[in-house]
Amino acid sequence: MEKELIHVADPMCSWCWGFSPVIDRIAELVRGRASVRVLPGDLRPGTKVALSQHEVDFIMGEWRKIAAATGQPFDFDQPLDTNFVYDTEPACRAVSLIGRERPACVLDYLRSLHQAFYVGRRDLKDPDVLADYAQSFGVPRATFLERFSRPEAVECLREDVRLARQCGIEAVPSVLLRTDNRIQRLTIGYQPYEVLEPHVRQWLAAA
């Protein structure tokens, strides 16, 4: 019997960053008993227009709410502004690529991008930034950048997003539990670890 934990998240989703400690604890709980897979959520793919002031105010308000609710750090000294283009496609493509190149590291890579964006204020639209973190997980910069630029990388991201949609995932963060060909939803949206842990243990124990 094959069991797989599937985490659907976006590197530039603030609630996904808030959920990061929860999914890390769940991944530790299933270690050795189920594999872990990350599907990128592609929250704002292909955005070309910079944020409006209304959008900036809303997003920064959400970040403060999430920081208060989850305890996760955010750099509020460098807030977003109306020059920022909130395109999540490059970061999601990078997660999709690392999920194939280094599947055992993809959850850690996702966390590193979350921290880079929300704490380090790195621009995750920049392939060089994405390559910096990929190198930390054993993918040489040149290799990452070459593969990242291929049309195949774009198609792999589309495949991942389609799979998440086919599983009924329309919001991130979300978690699916797969047993062989059967998939059940653990959560759609943020939940604390204490709420999810009993369900994960029950799933692990089920034949």
Side-chain angles (χ1 to χ4, degrees), residues 4-165:
E4 182 181 48
L5 180 90
I6 303 172
H7 179 40
V8 187
D10 191 299
M12 297 169 70
C13 160
S14 48
W15 274 113
C16 297
W17 171 228
F19 190 66
S20 185
V22 179
I23 194 63
D24 284 348
R25 291 181 69 185
I26 293 174
E28 185 61 31
L29 179 62
V30 307
R31 184 184 301 275
R33 303 169 70 184
S35 60
V36 176
R37 180 178 182 183
V38 175
L39 293 178
D42 219 8
L43 186 66
R44 291 169 172 253
T47 300
K48 304 296 184 187
V49 179
L51 295 172
S52 67
Q53 188 60 53
H54 173 75
E55 289 172 317
V56 168
D57 292 343
F58 174 79
I59 291 170
M60 298 311 298
E62 283 292 294
W63 289 9
R64 289 186 172 85
K65 180 171 69 175
I66 294 163
T70 68
Q72 285 289 82
F74 289 76
D75 183 359
F76 293 114
D77 292 332
Q78 299 184 73
L80 297 181
D81 59 31
T82 53
N83 294 315
F84 186 74
V85 177
Y86 212 123
D87 177 14
T88 69
E89 192 277 343
C92 285
R93 194 190 332 160
V95 170
S96 182
L97 176 59
I98 295 299
R100 288 164 171 79
E101 295 287 326
R102 294 286 190 275
C105 300
V106 65
L107 189 60
D108 292 333
Y109 182 69
L110 173 66
R111 186 195 319 110
S112 75
L113 294 189
H114 277 143
Q115 187 161 13
F117 182 59
Y118 289 106
V119 182
R121 300 303 293 117
R122 303 291 302 276
D123 185 359
L124 298 190
K125 299 187 300 297
D126 185 345
D128 286 322
V129 171
L130 300 171
D132 287 344
Y133 291 93
Q135 186 169 244
S136 301
F137 295 101
V139 181
R141 286 180 57 84
T143 300
F144 175 88
L145 290 169
E146 190 275 327
R147 294 178 183 174
F148 180 81
S149 65
R150 290 180 185 173
E152 291 85 352
V154 176
E155 184 53 38
C156 285
L157 171 58
R158 289 173 179 163
E159 289 176 4
D160 286 347
V161 172
R162 279 196 297 268
L163 177 57
R165 299 292 185 267

